[in-house]
Amino acid sequence: MTNEVATMVRSRDDEIADLLLGRAAEAHRLAAWILRDPVGAEDAVQDAALIAWNRRASLRDGAAAEGWFSRIVVNVCRDELRRRARKRDLPALEPVVAAGTDRVADRDELGRVISKLTPDEQIVLGLRFGRDLTVPQIAAETGLPEGTVKSRLHHSLEHLRAAFAAEHRAEERTR
Amino acid sequence: MNDNDLEKRLQSYYSTFTPENSYRAVEAVDDVIAERRENPAGPFAGWTARPNLRLNFRSGGALAGVAVAVLLVVALAPIWGRTNSPMSSASLDPAAATVQEAGVTRGGVIWAVRGGFSLGISADYGETWTEHRLPFPDSAFGTTSGSIVVVDKDHAWYSVTTFSGSDPSQTTGSILFRTSDGGATWQQTIMPGSGPSASISQVRFVDDKLGFAVLVRGSVGSNGDVYVAGDTILRTTDGGASWTETGTTSYGGQPSPAPSSESVAGAMMSSDPIIPVDANTLWTFCSPPSLIQGQTTCPLLRVSHDSGGSWSTVSLPGLGDTASANLMVLGDGWSSPDGIQFISSTEGYLAVSEQVGGMSRIHYFRTTDGGRSWTQVSQTEQQSPGAAPTFIDATHWFQTGMAQSVIAISTGGAEGTAATNGFSATADGGKTWRILGTELGGVTNVWMSDDLHGAALTTSADMQWLLYLTSDGGETWRLAQLSMDGWQAPSSPGITVPPTTDSVWTPSETATSAPGTSAPASPADTGPASPAATSVPIPSAS
């Protein structure tokens, strides 16, 4: 390797390093919303950074770099959600709110129902309601067609709506 | 719980997972970069998966023993405004065009479901609407999202699968409601054979009497996996009051789709779609669920002349008879437009997407002999396959999805147009295409009853789905106006159904609307009095 090429590679590596470090906090929030687990999200970001670094040669368009890293984070989270679906014995690493409030039960119920959705549906929910993205933005972030994002979001909300409608009726019947 | 309540709850819920800080994540990334630079040829070079082991070059080791993070619940004020379309005027209310499902019949009847609880039907291309509440089985703890079929302004069917407890995957049976007065009253039939391990997956009607349904047998495992054991095709000739088993969509001894090999918790059991042409002729094609759920190939196109008792695989010229991830009939199998469309007993159309070198090559086929032979009549090459087109006749076709990509090649030299929204239309059988509806934003569905009249469902930036109408082939659009002032879909159905398997349900609220008018629901509009409320027995597994 000549010095000139070595310098170019070093420079590009520096750019990738700056990108990954600059995006780490946002990637952490993204993973936290998808996984609903800020601590587990740190591991996801670390894994994503490793994948991104190893694949950095495939990144040809610097302008697309931010979306590229976000998609890697999303993919890592998808794998993690699949792992969790298979291993239901993993302890939930969810934050705790003050005990004795209605929100505890509310959160538990929401978390339980959301956990039953497919990983892709959980991703779409996290991006929509955690990161507050629109359907086109979610499509861009995940690389999915907008129609697919819409149908996954629709399906997720239908499941949640049905579950809570049932819960509401159960409460009314016990009164 | 209405839509806004659920969305507020979700926003509040997800806000609790916003990390207080991310310094450990930044540190972890820094560690990765440092390790990779120091040891570029080390054990992790080129390694992109993490099967079981944990990386251990994090400096702080801060995760060890840390299993709980305490965060404050921040109830974010929901930002849930509405985006007005360029065409919406002050007199048109986007809320009145906000729907969940919609469709247009070949006869020009437009229907839409709002709030999950009301069905609006218009027989005059959206000038006036009649809106009725959808029925709900009293004994059910809950129902999965229902499916609507409308064949004309009077006749519609609404199928739901009931579940017990708060888990929608634990189903108890399926119920089909039918109406012959536009939704004012409903009769219900418990679908024979439905139960905890069998539920209705699709309902199709040819006219107000002849229809088919598919009952999928299977189960949802404790780990959330869906196992499909097979399905049964049922036929009715009396509008849905009684059903007779006629066949199955399964082929070669395999259920269609096959048991899932991947966790699809919360997924619905489904089968390949059936498209009935008459009392005996059914078509089906390999749908995405078949391939998603563990299969690599399946028959591209099949036809049955004995209502599903037996199937023949149909080969398409140049494409063969086997579907794969790279070769499929366009149509997702559960939403309209159908993947196969017969506009008469002999004339039909379909489109097949073939993945070629990263592009989607779309082959358009036509039959004029009832499907005995198919001829490719057009071809395009584009970046994404798009949805199934609506075929009006031999020349007028409408398609969503393809407008989002560049149409590169067509048999007649297509207009090469890049667009990010809208849909595509051709008036010369696919030789040339135009991009229409770009001003609507993201068009997710377009339905046309003829070359002029139709509807489009769009997704706005704030996640509202708006229904637009056209009377000039898609050149101009107007917001549908389903509701009258003051009409609100109920937040909870609270509807009861008598305990017979063929009973009448009468809603207590009905609304009729026209743009710019206001007329509160009148008890006089609600039809006969509701029968006494008791529970509906839900069949158990047999």
Side-chain angles (χ1 to χ4, degrees):
Chain A
M1 182 181 290
T2 66
N3 287 338
E4 186 180 357
V5 172
T7 302
M8 285 176 60
V9 171
R10 170 65 64 182
S11 173
R12 181 170 172 75
D13 282 359
D14 287 343
E15 287 178 11
I16 298 291
D18 289 346
L19 163 77
L20 297 182
L21 285 169
R23 298 284 298 172
E26 172 59 22
H28 181 217
R29 287 190 289 273
L30 177 66
W33 288 318
I34 292 174
L35 298 176
R36 294 173 291 127
D37 173 7
V39 179
E42 294 171 0
D43 289 352
V45 171
Q46 189 184 42
D47 290 353
L50 178 63
I51 292 171
W53 186 266
N54 286 343
R55 291 181 181 170
R56 66 193 186 284
S58 66
L59 181 64
R60 301 189 184 283
D61 180 4
E66 293 189 356
W68 169 73
F69 186 45
S70 292
R71 278 193 289 277
I72 292 174
V73 172
V74 169
N75 286 336
V76 168
C77 289
R78 181 183 292 111
D79 289 344
E80 179 60 22
L81 288 171
R82 284 176 175 156
R83 263 192 288 270
R84 291 183 181 190
R86 294 191 190 104
K87 293 185 177 180
R88 296 285 186 191
D89 55 343
L90 276 181
L93 299 178
E94 295 191 356
V96 171
V97 296
T101 67
D102 289 343
R103 280 188 171 142
V104 175
D106 191 49
R107 285 176 43 80
D108 287 349
E109 179 66 8
L110 259 175
R112 196 183 64 78
V113 176
I114 291 172
S115 295
K116 289 181 176 298
L117 300 174
T118 66
D120 282 336
E121 288 171 343
Q122 293 183 49
I123 288 169
V124 172
L125 276 184
L127 294 177
R128 175 67 194 98
F129 296 103
R131 205 180 180 196
D132 197 25
L133 297 184
T134 63
V135 164
Q137 289 170 330
I138 295 172
E141 198 84 329
T142 58
L144 294 169
E146 283 188 27
T148 304
V149 172
K150 184 203 159 203
S151 66
R152 282 179 182 165
L153 193 53
H154 181 69
H155 188 233
S156 308
L157 292 176
E158 283 298 316
H159 266 274
L160 293 173
R161 201 173 288 118
F164 289 122
E167 177 191 352
H168 179 66
R169 278 188 289 278
E171 286 172 359
E172 287 191 336
R173 283 172 185 170
T174 56
R175 282 172 192 162
Chain B
M1 177 182 296
N2 61 36
D3 289 357
N4 276 346
D5 286 344
L6 177 59
E7 286 153 4
K8 286 176 191 170
R9 199 165 161 180
L10 283 166
Q11 285 174 328
S12 174
Y13 173 72
Y14 274 99
S15 72
T16 66
F17 297 104
T18 306
E20 283 184 315
N21 59 67
S22 297
Y23 70 88
R24 283 200 299 267
V26 176
E27 199 175 74
V29 171
D30 198 30
D31 287 346
V32 166
I33 295 168
E35 189 275 345
R36 294 281 69 232
R37 283 185 147 169
E38 288 171 9
N39 190 18
F44 298 113
W47 182 66
T48 57
R50 185 186 58 173
N52 292 307
L53 63 158
R54 305 294 301 174
L55 301 184
N56 192 27
F57 41 77
R58 177 168 297 174
S59 57
L63 282 184
V66 179
V68 177
V70 180
L71 296 178
L72 296 175
V73 174
V74 181
L76 293 177
I79 304 168
W80 206 256
R82 299 187 187 283
T83 300
N84 287 330
S85 146
M87 280 156 297
S88 61
S89 63
S91 63
L92 295 179
D93 177 11
T98 302
V99 303
Q100 289 182 321
E101 288 182 70
V104 180
T105 71
R106 287 278 174 185
V109 170
I110 304 170
W111 61 271
V113 174
R114 302 196 319 125
F117 298 111
S118 68
L119 171 66
I121 293 179
S122 174
D124 54 9
Y125 300 118
E127 289 300 313
T128 58
W129 292 83
T130 301
E131 193 167 3
H132 295 285
R133 290 172 64 177
L134 287 168
F136 185 86
D138 180 60
S139 71
F141 200 81
T143 66
T144 60
S145 56
S147 172
I148 300 278
V149 177
V150 176
V151 296
D152 57 38
K153 69 180 180 59
D154 297 319
H155 295 89
W157 295 263
Y158 175 54
S159 60
V160 295
T161 291
T162 56
F163 60 86
S164 61
S166 59
D167 186 351
S169 68
Q170 303 304 311
T171 60
T172 51
S174 295
I175 292 176
L176 181 73
F177 293 96
R178 63 186 190 279
T179 179
S180 55
D181 53 15
T185 59
W186 294 85
Q187 295 79 44
Q188 70 156 353
T189 300
I190 296 175
M191 290 303 289
S194 70
S197 57
S199 56
I200 198 165
S201 75
Q202 51 183 315
V203 177
R204 309 271 175 159
F205 272 83
V206 177
D207 54 35
D208 62 335
K209 295 283 189 273
L210 175 63
F212 290 85
V214 178
L215 204 67
V216 176
R217 298 186 306 279
S219 61
V220 180
S222 58
N223 61 352
D225 286 359
V226 173
Y227 297 93
V228 177
D231 63 61
T232 303
I233 297 175
L234 304 166
R235 180 176 62 189
T236 178
T237 54
D238 58 10
S242 63
W243 294 85
T244 306
E245 185 176 331
T246 58
T248 175
T249 74
S250 302
Y251 57 91
Q254 290 293 317
S256 164
S260 166
S261 59
E262 180 61 88
S263 172
V264 283
M268 294 295 294
M269 293 185 292
S270 62
S271 67
D272 282 342
I274 55 168
I275 294 103
V277 178
D278 55 40
N280 299 313
T281 308
L282 296 176
W283 288 83
T284 190
F285 58 90
C286 181
S287 64
S290 287
L291 291 179
I292 289 169
Q293 296 186 18
Q295 291 176 232
T296 54
T297 61
C298 49
L300 179 65
L301 184 63
R302 290 179 290 151
V303 63
S304 173
H305 297 292
D306 55 4
S307 306
S310 60
W311 293 90
S312 303
T313 300
V314 176
S315 182
L316 292 174
L319 298 180
D321 61 7
T322 304
S324 67
N326 294 322
L327 185 72
M328 297 193 76
V329 172
L330 281 185
D332 59 19
W334 53 81
S335 66
S336 59
D338 284 336
I340 306 165
Q341 292 162 46
F342 277 86
I343 61 175
S344 73
S345 60
T346 56
E347 185 177 3
Y349 296 85
L350 61 85
V352 176
S353 169
E354 180 186 18
Q355 295 300 310
V356 181
M359 296 287 284
S360 296
R361 183 173 295 160
I362 311 299
H363 307 263
Y364 299 87
F365 287 90
R366 179 185 188 217
T367 178
T368 55
D369 57 10
R372 278 191 290 278
S373 64
W374 293 85
T375 304
Q376 181 168 320
V377 291
S378 185
Q379 177 179 310
T380 62
E381 195 158 307
Q382 54 206 50
Q383 289 179 342
S384 61
T390 296
F391 296 98
I392 301 300
D393 53 32
T395 57
H396 292 90
W397 309 341
F398 299 84
Q399 186 176 6
T400 55
M402 67 188 283
Q404 295 174 18
S405 62
V406 177
I407 303 169
I409 301 169
S410 175
T411 49
E415 173 184 345
T417 306
T420 55
N421 288 306
F423 63 95
S424 304
T426 177
D428 55 14
K431 291 185 176 61
T432 58
W433 292 83
R434 294 179 63 205
I435 311 297
L436 298 173
T438 53
E439 69 276 26
L440 302 180
V443 176
T444 57
N445 292 86
V446 61
W447 306 271
M448 300 296 292
S449 60
D450 54 42
D451 59 338
L452 295 177
H453 298 93
L457 192 61
T458 71
T459 308
S460 64
D462 59 357
M463 274 306 300
Q464 300 289 343
W465 295 300
L466 299 175
L467 187 64
Y468 286 91
L469 307 173
T470 182
S471 298
D472 56 11
E475 298 290 341
T476 61
W477 294 86
R478 64 188 187 280
L479 273 173
Q481 295 289 279
L482 270 77
S483 70
M484 60 186 183
D485 294 340
W487 164 262
Q488 293 290 325
S491 58
S492 175
I495 293 166
T496 56
V497 175
T500 64
T501 57
D502 192 9
S503 53
V504 177
W505 172 85
T506 306
S508 57
E509 296 176 47
T510 301
T512 304
S513 67
T517 65
S518 176
S522 161
D525 294 334
T526 59
S530 177
T534 48
S535 63
V536 178
I538 303 300
S540 59
S542 57

